[in-house]
Amino acid sequence: MTFSGALTLTDLNDFIGPSQTCIKPVEQTNFISGAEKDAGAAATEIRVDSSGSYYEVSADGLSSLRNNSSSGTKLEQAEVNLNDCLACSGCITSAESVLITLQSHIEVLKVLESNPSSEFCDSRKTPVISIAPQSLASLAASLSDSSSTHLRVSPRQVLRRLRRFCKDVLGFAYVFDTTFARHLALREHVTEFVERQEKHRNKNSMGDGHETADRCLPMLASACPGWICYAEKAHSEMLPFIAQTKSPQQIMGTLVKNWMGSKWGKLPHEIYHVSVMPCYDKKLEASRSDFYNEVYSTRDVDCVITTGELELILREKGWDLSKSISGELDMPSVSLVPDPNNVSEDTLPELINHPGSSSGSYLQEIISHVVKTSEMPLVLSVRQMRNSDYEEYILRTEAVDNTGQVIFKGAKCYGFRNLQNVVRKVGKEKGVHVGTGATGRLGDVATSRRIKRGAGSNDAKERPYDYVEVMACPGGCVNGGGQLKAPSTIIKDTDDEGYTRSWSDAGVEIQNARWGSKEWTRKVEEVYWEESSPSEGTNGALGWAPVETRCTGPVVNVPDELIKRVLLEANDVARNLFRTQYRAIENEVVGLAVKW
Amino acid sequence: MSADLPNDIVLIAELPGHEDRAWHVAWNPTKPILASCSSDKTVRLYGYADKFTFLTSIPTGHTKTVRAIAWAPSGNTLATASFDSNVGIWEREDGDEWECVSLLEGHETECKSVGYSSTGTLLASCSRDKSVWVWEVQPDADFECLGVIMEHSQDVKCVAWHPTEEILASGSYDDTIKLYVDDPEDDWFCCTTLTGHKSTVWALAWSPEGQYLASGSDDKTVRVWKRTGKVEFKQVLVLEGHERPVYSVSWGKGKGVGVGAGRLASAGSDGIIRVWELVEKSDDGLLEHRMIAKLEYAHDVYDLNAIVWCPRAGFEDMLATAGDDGVCKVWRITPR
């Protein structure tokens, strides 16, 4: 069994949990032997031997003796692969708890070890690894001593050190970060938002197309695979609202396998592309059929490993990431005149900083666009809702006391609980049925009434959302399930007064270890923003830039030439390159007739 | 009826009508209405003055069993918890029609129990999906999810709010009871776990003043836990003698009962109604108990799924039960 060592379910709070209704493991093919028994007389037992293998043996010891083998028939172990998970309606997301055999660090090492080293060997694949900035921040935070400022390690240093490790030790040919892909994702995201806005504006003149036009806004973020899986399985009514822009990981996949491949003279299946992500569900994302190239039988991202799994590899290979390497502090050396016939680390800008959130800055990018394209000056106000994971961002025309006309209303919404409220809110505003469809008449009654009530209110306060940055993890991607866990020194074992479970004798257990990782998440967030220079106005600890700088537009300087070149040279149309699709997964009736 | 006990349990109304087993009963806290729910997916309402009269049946539209019901403290709103995984919120519209004004979705599998907090501003539900959800009740039949708490390792069978404070208790197939409070800075969280039961905790009931919590279990016991601090509890009593699992407990003030901790009723698979009087002993903090009434075959040979004291002033000696026979019965505890 190849359970990745980093796969654990501890310390989860408000993450989307695995389901009980995963029926996959109990499926067992029954081979009926020649000597048929009466249907009711199936007298066999399942035994487990010391190695954990399952054997089917006859219940009366005799027949197993006659069988020549006293050990009985070895049963096939039920395996769950990611495709099963994607197809099954049982779990909301199961990436953390299923046997992930094809998406583990062991698989990566296996492929790399069997990859011929000679460039001239036909079967050699070009190994490429793309690392998410949140993963770099997590590793950097684990190396930084918070009590001392000299001992801080930046994500850029970590990237340089990992590049050395991945090339020298593991044999990767190229080591990228995913921020350039994210840059493209953000651009595409804005383009899609504008398209949807258009459609939404024109909806009244569209007649028949009215209903689809009404499903344009709010646009919901599409980068979080946990959210996508949940929506597909539990809230299919939300799917039309979810942006079809691919996530940075999948855009990187397209870039590596198509654009870069064409530069390197490699076909998609001649490249082995690994990505390092803060999130287990990214494994599920990479496994989606939409990102599978049937012509070359290959995925855009062949294997996804988490930050924790990368750390395991480092540990297994005995590489000390805390040791600095030469040149790790040099500024990036993106060639001014890149060789048009080649792509390498020097071609792509390194660690592009996108001000906004540490979960990809999607909302901020849309806000910047709205501000930039507005004919009137706009004022942004931010309102924290119930907690810091749920905030509303409202753009108004300039007027005293925030009384200007509302031009845009967006929100960032992280964590399962807040996600519920956004789903409810959007469902109510749009009059779409919320939920699993198990409700029948009841759901209709409730919905029709919601519409009735919603019809009267045209207050500016009640303006529906235009955009929501949805992420399934509380705290967003820096707190992804695949990130390094908080070092034990940060998690408290005792309560504030230093007492340990004084009631345990009376059968009472006081729990105090909840959210021990909050401090830690804050630190990763801080490190994440370390790359941004103060003049850029990003305040990592707060997560968002101050209002003034937010409205002045993006500060990222990515050569437009490069993007043009990518778009021009990639031999596909932009829609396919950067967009994807979603489908509802029907909730099957649970087979067990629960009677209690 | 046990002859040696000081009280009788007298049947005052038999309310048939459900086409399948009756799961739960709930007394409206402000109006003379009793509600019951069933596997037949309906809720039946009865009025009472001199006698009990059938008012209406709500065909809930739930696609599976309605497992539990709860009235809001105002008495104007009823919540239904269904095996179809949803919670329905019902209000009486113009005329006599009960309408579903909101639907709380989110549970992945069977919803087992539902309850309003004492002020009616919060609602909790629990499910076989192991989660406990806390919702804020907002104007216009709107709800906001405040917490999804995954602390139990198994099916969560019941939720119960403290009678005056915002403390929530839940009982589970994992044999534990968990208590939750809101961290004003943060989320709802589990502050305490009570262990002791040897099997599923089917039911929970706070004492009327909230200083005790009673739990009924598949281990055939009822346990009483005393609150000794803000979120600290200590087991102070184990009531044994049940012949089969205890499915329901209810803690009432009692009518004309002197100073004490009130009356605790239990019911379950053995079909017997048991009532204890509980008196707090000031010196050692222990709870003195004596059984004051007992009735066998309350629903003939059928299991009792629920037992609930009427909370309304003047009716505190009334109990309602729901049974596998699809019948609800109302009883009065009378001195012999």
PDB file of all heavy atoms in Angstrom, chain A residues 49-78:
ATOM      1  N   ASP A  49      -4.208 -11.876   7.113  1.00  0.00           N
ATOM      2  CA  ASP A  49      -2.959 -12.441   7.640  1.00  0.00           C
ATOM      3  C   ASP A  49      -2.057 -11.341   8.185  1.00  0.00           C
ATOM      4  O   ASP A  49      -2.402 -10.172   8.177  1.00  0.00           O
ATOM      5  CB  ASP A  49      -2.266 -13.303   6.573  1.00  0.00           C
ATOM      6  CG  ASP A  49      -1.597 -12.461   5.493  1.00  0.00           C
ATOM      7  OD1 ASP A  49      -1.616 -11.208   5.612  1.00  0.00           O
ATOM      8  OD2 ASP A  49      -1.071 -13.043   4.535  1.00  0.00           O
ATOM      9  N   SER A  50      -0.902 -11.739   8.653  1.00  0.00           N
ATOM     10  CA  SER A  50      -0.053 -10.767   9.349  1.00  0.00           C
ATOM     11  C   SER A  50       0.429  -9.652   8.435  1.00  0.00           C
ATOM     12  O   SER A  50       0.737  -8.560   8.894  1.00  0.00           O
ATOM     13  CB  SER A  50       1.151 -11.497   9.952  1.00  0.00           C
ATOM     14  OG  SER A  50       1.785 -12.257   8.937  1.00  0.00           O
ATOM     15  N   SER A  51       0.464  -9.941   7.141  1.00  0.00           N
ATOM     16  CA  SER A  51       0.945  -8.884   6.244  1.00  0.00           C
ATOM     17  C   SER A  51      -0.184  -7.959   5.816  1.00  0.00           C
ATOM     18  O   SER A  51       0.019  -7.044   5.024  1.00  0.00           O
ATOM     19  CB  SER A  51       1.592  -9.518   5.008  1.00  0.00           C
ATOM     20  OG  SER A  51       0.596 -10.161   4.248  1.00  0.00           O
ATOM     21  N   GLY A  52      -1.371  -8.232   6.325  1.00  0.00           N
ATOM     22  CA  GLY A  52      -2.485  -7.352   5.991  1.00  0.00           C
ATOM     23  C   GLY A  52      -3.229  -7.759   4.739  1.00  0.00           C
ATOM     24  O   GLY A  52      -4.122  -7.068   4.286  1.00  0.00           O
ATOM     25  N   SER A  53      -2.865  -8.911   4.153  1.00  0.00           N
ATOM     26  CA  SER A  53      -3.583  -9.379   2.975  1.00  0.00           C
ATOM     27  C   SER A  53      -4.881 -10.045   3.398  1.00  0.00           C
ATOM     28  O   SER A  53      -4.978 -10.617   4.485  1.00  0.00           O
ATOM     29  CB  SER A  53      -2.742 -10.390   2.198  1.00  0.00           C
ATOM     30  OG  SER A  53      -1.591  -9.758   1.720  1.00  0.00           O
ATOM     31  N   TYR A  54      -5.871  -9.968   2.530  1.00  0.00           N
ATOM     32  CA  TYR A  54      -7.162 -10.558   2.842  1.00  0.00           C
ATOM     33  C   TYR A  54      -7.300 -11.884   2.109  1.00  0.00           C
ATOM     34  O   TYR A  54      -6.942 -12.006   0.948  1.00  0.00           O
ATOM     35  CB  TYR A  54      -8.293  -9.629   2.395  1.00  0.00           C
ATOM     36  CG  TYR A  54      -8.361  -8.379   3.209  1.00  0.00           C
ATOM     37  CD1 TYR A  54      -7.543  -7.291   2.918  1.00  0.00           C
ATOM     38  CD2 TYR A  54      -9.234  -8.284   4.297  1.00  0.00           C
ATOM     39  CE1 TYR A  54      -7.605  -6.147   3.670  1.00  0.00           C
ATOM     40  CE2 TYR A  54      -9.313  -7.145   5.057  1.00  0.00           C
ATOM     41  CZ  TYR A  54      -8.490  -6.069   4.746  1.00  0.00           C
ATOM     42  OH  TYR A  54      -8.551  -4.940   5.487  1.00  0.00           O
ATOM     43  N   TYR A  55      -7.822 -12.875   2.824  1.00  0.00           N
ATOM     44  CA  TYR A  55      -8.035 -14.175   2.220  1.00  0.00           C
ATOM     45  C   TYR A  55      -9.467 -14.594   2.431  1.00  0.00           C
ATOM     46  O   TYR A  55     -10.036 -14.393   3.500  1.00  0.00           O
ATOM     47  CB  TYR A  55      -7.104 -15.218   2.838  1.00  0.00           C
ATOM     48  CG  TYR A  55      -5.665 -14.955   2.510  1.00  0.00           C
ATOM     49  CD1 TYR A  55      -4.883 -14.166   3.355  1.00  0.00           C
ATOM     50  CD2 TYR A  55      -5.099 -15.470   1.339  1.00  0.00           C
ATOM     51  CE1 TYR A  55      -3.558 -13.889   3.046  1.00  0.00           C
ATOM     52  CE2 TYR A  55      -3.782 -15.198   1.025  1.00  0.00           C
ATOM     53  CZ  TYR A  55      -3.019 -14.413   1.870  1.00  0.00           C
ATOM     54  OH  TYR A  55      -1.717 -14.142   1.568  1.00  0.00           O
ATOM     55  N   GLU A  56     -10.037 -15.190   1.408  1.00  0.00           N
ATOM     56  CA  GLU A  56     -11.359 -15.759   1.551  1.00  0.00           C
ATOM     57  C   GLU A  56     -11.171 -17.243   1.840  1.00  0.00           C
ATOM     58  O   GLU A  56     -10.556 -17.952   1.059  1.00  0.00           O
ATOM     59  CB  GLU A  56     -12.166 -15.559   0.260  1.00  0.00           C
ATOM     60  CG  GLU A  56     -13.588 -16.013   0.402  1.00  0.00           C
ATOM     61  CD  GLU A  56     -14.381 -15.787  -0.874  1.00  0.00           C
ATOM     62  OE1 GLU A  56     -13.771 -15.424  -1.900  1.00  0.00           O
ATOM     63  OE2 GLU A  56     -15.605 -15.989  -0.840  1.00  0.00           O
ATOM     64  N   VAL A  57     -11.672 -17.703   2.958  1.00  0.00           N
ATOM     65  CA  VAL A  57     -11.524 -19.110   3.293  1.00  0.00           C
ATOM     66  C   VAL A  57     -12.889 -19.696   3.594  1.00  0.00           C
ATOM     67  O   VAL A  57     -13.801 -18.997   4.013  1.00  0.00           O
ATOM     68  CB  VAL A  57     -10.584 -19.318   4.510  1.00  0.00           C
ATOM     69  CG1 VAL A  57      -9.184 -18.886   4.180  1.00  0.00           C
ATOM     70  CG2 VAL A  57     -11.111 -18.573   5.718  1.00  0.00           C
ATOM     71  N   SER A  58     -12.971 -20.993   3.393  1.00  0.00           N
ATOM     72  CA  SER A  58     -14.226 -21.663   3.664  1.00  0.00           C
ATOM     73  C   SER A  58     -14.453 -21.699   5.171  1.00  0.00           C
ATOM     74  O   SER A  58     -13.523 -21.870   5.952  1.00  0.00           O
ATOM     75  CB  SER A  58     -14.161 -23.083   3.109  1.00  0.00           C
ATOM     76  OG  SER A  58     -15.412 -23.698   3.254  1.00  0.00           O
ATOM     77  N   ALA A  59     -15.704 -21.546   5.584  1.00  0.00           N
ATOM     78  CA  ALA A  59     -15.981 -21.442   7.011  1.00  0.00           C
ATOM     79  C   ALA A  59     -15.754 -22.772   7.733  1.00  0.00           C
ATOM     80  O   ALA A  59     -15.309 -22.796   8.873  1.00  0.00           O
ATOM     81  CB  ALA A  59     -17.396 -20.964   7.245  1.00  0.00           C
ATOM     82  N   ASP A  60     -16.058 -23.890   7.040  1.00  0.00           N
ATOM     83  CA  ASP A  60     -15.698 -25.171   7.653  1.00  0.00           C
ATOM     84  C   ASP A  60     -14.286 -25.502   7.227  1.00  0.00           C
ATOM     85  O   ASP A  60     -13.978 -25.615   6.054  1.00  0.00           O
ATOM     86  CB  ASP A  60     -16.680 -26.278   7.235  1.00  0.00           C
ATOM     87  CG  ASP A  60     -16.781 -26.406   5.728  1.00  0.00           C
ATOM     88  OD1 ASP A  60     -16.141 -25.570   5.047  1.00  0.00           O
ATOM     89  OD2 ASP A  60     -17.458 -27.302   5.236  1.00  0.00           O
ATOM     90  N   GLY A  61     -13.421 -25.653   8.145  1.00  0.00           N
ATOM     91  CA  GLY A  61     -12.007 -25.810   7.858  1.00  0.00           C
ATOM     92  C   GLY A  61     -11.696 -26.884   6.824  1.00  0.00           C
ATOM     93  O   GLY A  61     -10.670 -26.832   6.160  1.00  0.00           O
ATOM     94  N   LEU A  62     -12.608 -27.841   6.658  1.00  0.00           N
ATOM     95  CA  LEU A  62     -12.347 -28.981   5.787  1.00  0.00           C
ATOM     96  C   LEU A  62     -12.086 -28.597   4.344  1.00  0.00           C
ATOM     97  O   LEU A  62     -11.110 -29.005   3.741  1.00  0.00           O
ATOM     98  CB  LEU A  62     -13.541 -29.948   5.840  1.00  0.00           C
ATOM     99  CG  LEU A  62     -13.652 -30.755   7.145  1.00  0.00           C
ATOM    100  CD1 LEU A  62     -14.955 -31.532   7.143  1.00  0.00           C
ATOM    101  CD2 LEU A  62     -12.455 -31.693   7.272  1.00  0.00           C
ATOM    102  N   SER A  63     -12.977 -27.818   3.794  1.00  0.00           N
ATOM    103  CA  SER A  63     -12.858 -27.550   2.364  1.00  0.00           C
ATOM    104  C   SER A  63     -11.593 -26.768   2.043  1.00  0.00           C
ATOM    105  O   SER A  63     -11.037 -26.901   0.966  1.00  0.00           O
ATOM    106  CB  SER A  63     -14.090 -26.804   1.858  1.00  0.00           C
ATOM    107  OG  SER A  63     -14.313 -25.678   2.660  1.00  0.00           O
ATOM    108  N   SER A  64     -11.122 -26.009   2.994  1.00  0.00           N
ATOM    109  CA  SER A  64      -9.889 -25.290   2.692  1.00  0.00           C
ATOM    110  C   SER A  64      -8.701 -26.257   2.689  1.00  0.00           C
ATOM    111  O   SER A  64      -7.731 -26.037   1.975  1.00  0.00           O
ATOM    112  CB  SER A  64      -9.669 -24.148   3.692  1.00  0.00           C
ATOM    113  OG  SER A  64      -9.647 -24.652   4.994  1.00  0.00           O
ATOM    114  N   LEU A  65      -8.839 -27.320   3.504  1.00  0.00           N
ATOM    115  CA  LEU A  65      -7.786 -28.333   3.474  1.00  0.00           C
ATOM    116  C   LEU A  65      -7.771 -29.047   2.124  1.00  0.00           C
ATOM    117  O   LEU A  65      -6.737 -29.245   1.518  1.00  0.00           O
ATOM    118  CB  LEU A  65      -8.005 -29.364   4.583  1.00  0.00           C
ATOM    119  CG  LEU A  65      -7.570 -28.936   5.984  1.00  0.00           C
ATOM    120  CD1 LEU A  65      -7.939 -30.012   6.990  1.00  0.00           C
ATOM    121  CD2 LEU A  65      -6.074 -28.652   6.012  1.00  0.00           C
ATOM    122  N   ARG A  66      -8.996 -29.376   1.703  1.00  0.00           N
ATOM    123  CA  ARG A  66      -9.118 -30.058   0.423  1.00  0.00           C
ATOM    124  C   ARG A  66      -8.554 -29.190  -0.699  1.00  0.00           C
ATOM    125  O   ARG A  66      -8.135 -29.668  -1.732  1.00  0.00           O
ATOM    126  CB  ARG A  66     -10.598 -30.340   0.144  1.00  0.00           C
ATOM    127  CG  ARG A  66     -10.940 -31.816   0.203  1.00  0.00           C
ATOM    128  CD  ARG A  66     -12.393 -32.001  -0.177  1.00  0.00           C
ATOM    129  NE  ARG A  66     -13.271 -31.906   0.974  1.00  0.00           N
ATOM    130  CZ  ARG A  66     -14.388 -31.173   1.007  1.00  0.00           C
ATOM    131  NH1 ARG A  66     -14.736 -30.442  -0.025  1.00  0.00           N
ATOM    132  NH2 ARG A  66     -15.144 -31.178   2.071  1.00  0.00           N
ATOM    133  N   ASN A  67      -8.572 -27.947  -0.457  1.00  0.00           N
ATOM    134  CA  ASN A  67      -8.143 -26.981  -1.461  1.00  0.00           C
ATOM    135  C   ASN A  67      -6.649 -27.000  -1.741  1.00  0.00           C
ATOM    136  O   ASN A  67      -6.172 -26.251  -2.587  1.00  0.00           O
ATOM    137  CB  ASN A  67      -8.503 -25.580  -0.968  1.00  0.00           C
ATOM    138  CG  ASN A  67      -9.389 -24.874  -1.946  1.00  0.00           C
ATOM    139  OD1 ASN A  67      -9.449 -25.289  -3.086  1.00  0.00           O
ATOM    140  ND2 ASN A  67     -10.058 -23.839  -1.502  1.00  0.00           N
ATOM    141  N   ASN A  68      -5.936 -27.812  -0.968  1.00  0.00           N
ATOM    142  CA  ASN A  68      -4.480 -27.870  -1.092  1.00  0.00           C
ATOM    143  C   ASN A  68      -3.785 -26.651  -0.509  1.00  0.00           C
ATOM    144  O   ASN A  68      -2.643 -26.714  -0.130  1.00  0.00           O
ATOM    145  CB  ASN A  68      -4.034 -28.020  -2.558  1.00  0.00           C
ATOM    146  CG  ASN A  68      -3.751 -29.478  -2.859  1.00  0.00           C
ATOM    147  OD1 ASN A  68      -3.691 -30.300  -1.944  1.00  0.00           O
ATOM    148  ND2 ASN A  68      -3.590 -29.804  -4.129  1.00  0.00           N
ATOM    149  N   SER A  69      -4.456 -25.574  -0.494  1.00  0.00           N
ATOM    150  CA  SER A  69      -3.815 -24.398   0.082  1.00  0.00           C
ATOM    151  C   SER A  69      -4.627 -23.984   1.293  1.00  0.00           C
ATOM    152  O   SER A  69      -5.790 -23.621   1.183  1.00  0.00           O
ATOM    153  CB  SER A  69      -3.766 -23.257  -0.930  1.00  0.00           C
ATOM    154  OG  SER A  69      -4.874 -22.434  -0.771  1.00  0.00           O
ATOM    155  N   SER A  70      -4.028 -24.068   2.432  1.00  0.00           N
ATOM    156  CA  SER A  70      -4.758 -23.778   3.653  1.00  0.00           C
ATOM    157  C   SER A  70      -5.009 -22.284   3.802  1.00  0.00           C
ATOM    158  O   SER A  70      -5.737 -21.848   4.653  1.00  0.00           O
ATOM    159  CB  SER A  70      -3.973 -24.273   4.867  1.00  0.00           C
ATOM    160  OG  SER A  70      -2.692 -23.674   4.856  1.00  0.00           O
ATOM    161  N   SER A  71      -4.378 -21.526   2.926  1.00  0.00           N
ATOM    162  CA  SER A  71      -4.498 -20.077   3.096  1.00  0.00           C
ATOM    163  C   SER A  71      -5.705 -19.503   2.373  1.00  0.00           C
ATOM    164  O   SER A  71      -6.012 -18.334   2.517  1.00  0.00           O
ATOM    165  CB  SER A  71      -3.235 -19.383   2.572  1.00  0.00           C
ATOM    166  OG  SER A  71      -3.007 -19.789   1.245  1.00  0.00           O
ATOM    167  N   GLY A  72      -6.407 -20.341   1.617  1.00  0.00           N
ATOM    168  CA  GLY A  72      -7.588 -19.850   0.933  1.00  0.00           C
ATOM    169  C   GLY A  72      -7.237 -18.986  -0.257  1.00  0.00           C
ATOM    170  O   GLY A  72      -6.089 -18.920  -0.700  1.00  0.00           O
ATOM    171  N   THR A  73      -8.238 -18.327  -0.782  1.00  0.00           N
ATOM    172  CA  THR A  73      -8.035 -17.523  -1.976  1.00  0.00           C
ATOM    173  C   THR A  73      -7.638 -16.115  -1.573  1.00  0.00           C
ATOM    174  O   THR A  73      -8.345 -15.470  -0.796  1.00  0.00           O
ATOM    175  CB  THR A  73      -9.340 -17.437  -2.780  1.00  0.00           C
ATOM    176  OG1 THR A  73      -9.956 -18.715  -2.750  1.00  0.00           O
ATOM    177  CG2 THR A  73      -9.087 -17.007  -4.201  1.00  0.00           C
ATOM    178  N   LYS A  74      -6.563 -15.685  -2.103  1.00  0.00           N
ATOM    179  CA  LYS A  74      -6.169 -14.321  -1.774  1.00  0.00           C
ATOM    180  C   LYS A  74      -7.096 -13.351  -2.493  1.00  0.00           C
ATOM    181  O   LYS A  74      -7.338 -13.468  -3.692  1.00  0.00           O
ATOM    182  CB  LYS A  74      -4.724 -14.055  -2.189  1.00  0.00           C
ATOM    183  CG  LYS A  74      -4.267 -12.683  -1.716  1.00  0.00           C
ATOM    184  CD  LYS A  74      -2.798 -12.435  -1.891  1.00  0.00           C
ATOM    185  CE  LYS A  74      -2.479 -11.055  -1.359  1.00  0.00           C
ATOM    186  NZ  LYS A  74      -1.173 -10.592  -1.706  1.00  0.00           N
ATOM    187  N   LEU A  75      -7.637 -12.436  -1.750  1.00  0.00           N
ATOM    188  CA  LEU A  75      -8.587 -11.496  -2.341  1.00  0.00           C
ATOM    189  C   LEU A  75      -7.862 -10.291  -2.905  1.00  0.00           C
ATOM    190  O   LEU A  75      -6.833  -9.850  -2.382  1.00  0.00           O
ATOM    191  CB  LEU A  75      -9.587 -11.027  -1.282  1.00  0.00           C
ATOM    192  CG  LEU A  75     -10.547 -12.105  -0.780  1.00  0.00           C
ATOM    193  CD1 LEU A  75     -11.438 -11.511   0.305  1.00  0.00           C
ATOM    194  CD2 LEU A  75     -11.392 -12.643  -1.923  1.00  0.00           C
ATOM    195  N   GLU A  76      -8.450  -9.811  -3.932  1.00  0.00           N
ATOM    196  CA  GLU A  76      -7.882  -8.621  -4.546  1.00  0.00           C
ATOM    197  C   GLU A  76      -8.155  -7.430  -3.637  1.00  0.00           C
ATOM    198  O   GLU A  76      -9.257  -7.269  -3.113  1.00  0.00           O
ATOM    199  CB  GLU A  76      -8.587  -8.401  -5.873  1.00  0.00           C
ATOM    200  CG  GLU A  76      -7.784  -7.592  -6.854  1.00  0.00           C
ATOM    201  CD  GLU A  76      -8.579  -7.395  -8.131  1.00  0.00           C
ATOM    202  OE1 GLU A  76      -9.162  -8.393  -8.608  1.00  0.00           O
ATOM    203  OE2 GLU A  76      -8.622  -6.277  -8.600  1.00  0.00           O
ATOM    204  N   GLN A  77      -7.145  -6.638  -3.444  1.00  0.00           N
ATOM    205  CA  GLN A  77      -7.341  -5.489  -2.588  1.00  0.00           C
ATOM    206  C   GLN A  77      -8.110  -4.416  -3.352  1.00  0.00           C
ATOM    207  O   GLN A  77      -7.787  -4.120  -4.489  1.00  0.00           O
ATOM    208  CB  GLN A  77      -5.973  -4.944  -2.208  1.00  0.00           C
ATOM    209  CG  GLN A  77      -5.966  -4.247  -0.894  1.00  0.00           C
ATOM    210  CD  GLN A  77      -4.545  -4.095  -0.424  1.00  0.00           C
ATOM    211  OE1 GLN A  77      -3.741  -3.492  -1.118  1.00  0.00           O
ATOM    212  NE2 GLN A  77      -4.233  -4.646   0.721  1.00  0.00           N
ATOM    213  N   ALA A  78      -9.136  -3.904  -2.724  1.00  0.00           N
ATOM    214  CA  ALA A  78      -9.894  -2.839  -3.383  1.00  0.00           C
ATOM    215  C   ALA A  78      -9.028  -1.585  -3.426  1.00  0.00           C
ATOM    216  O   ALA A  78      -8.419  -1.207  -2.442  1.00  0.00           O
ATOM    217  CB  ALA A  78     -11.169  -2.562  -2.613  1.00  0.00           C
TER     218      ALA A  78
END
